[in-house]
Amino acid sequence: MDSKALHKISYGLYVITSKKGDRFNGQIANTVFQISNEPPTIAVSINKQNLTHGFIKESRVFAVSVLAQEAPLSLIGRFGFKSGREVDKFNGLKYELSQNGLPYPAEHVLAYLEAKVIQEVDAGTHTIFIGELTDAKVLIEGTPMTYAYYHQVKRGSIPKTAPTFIQKQAEVTVKMDKYVCSVCGYVYDPEVGDPENGVPPGTPFEKLPGDWTCPVCGVGKEEFEKES
């Protein structure tokens, strides 16, 4: 079976949030889709190991934030590569609340949709939560972030708990050495640099500023290893 065929399926990139009592949590997801129009329903696929899964199971509500194409890697890293069991993902983040009190980032979000769970589907490692919309709002106009754009243009990495995660095979390095973040899997490519954080294309890893950090998860250069 050629698993690369799965790469031809299109995906977006979203922040899924929920609550448990007075606590908030959220995560990145790429599997969100509309199911019906009357009533309007949507579905999200959430890994059972994630804290957000437990929050949705208990509160029976969730919100979907549609990320703009220009959303920074740091925002995606906050919700995709940090655990809500260890950090408060909303600490220091500008956010607003939906009609039923669910948080959504106040910046780099085109729209949000809030839903109440009406059905669950067991999908092995994940649960598909089907929800009826209770609130929705377009915040700004723009182009939605897609998984392809995030991966190919912004060169972002994928959490191992994502439904689309596939273990990469080693590639042969023929030019300047690439370095891989041991925490989140982000690959620093010298030919691309990190323009979002002031590092121009053509900058070798060894020439990065001492205070440069992974644009996705925020760890230092010491957490990077040369790609084999």
Side-chain angles (χ1 to χ4, degrees), residues 58-170:
E58 180 163 321
S59 68
R60 314 303 294 171
V61 291
F62 63 87
V64 176
S65 297
V66 182
L67 292 178
Q69 191 174 82
E70 65 271 15
L73 286 175
S74 57
L75 178 62
I76 299 169
R78 174 189 289 259
F79 286 100
F81 293 94
K82 297 182 186 297
S83 171
R85 296 183 177 90
E86 300 172 356
V87 299
D88 178 358
K89 297 184 183 183
F90 290 91
N91 183 34
L93 179 74
K94 293 182 181 179
Y95 66 91
E96 303 289 343
L97 297 179
S98 66
Q99 179 175 286
N100 286 317
L102 296 180
Y104 60 90
E107 299 176 329
H108 310 296
V109 170
L110 301 182
Y112 74 82
L113 305 97
E114 178 197 79
K116 62 179 180 180
V117 177
I118 58 175
Q119 187 177 348
E120 296 179 26
V121 178
D122 190 320
T125 57
H126 290 62
T127 297
I128 300 172
F129 292 103
I130 300 173
E132 181 178 337
L133 287 189
T134 53
D135 187 22
K137 185 177 182 180
V138 174
L139 303 174
I140 58 175
E141 296 298 331
T143 303
M145 176 85 76
T146 64
Y147 165 77
Y149 187 88
Y150 166 70
H151 186 64
Q152 297 170 9
V153 179
K154 299 181 80 69
R155 303 187 65 79
S157 46
I158 313 167
K160 291 184 177 180
T161 54
T164 53
F165 176 80
I166 297 176
Q167 185 67 44
K168 293 182 179 179
Q169 296 181 352

Side-chain angles (χ1 to χ4, degrees), residues 19-24 55:
K19 63 183 179 179
K20 182 178 180 180
D22 59 356
R23 291 183 61 197
F24 296 143
F55 278 30

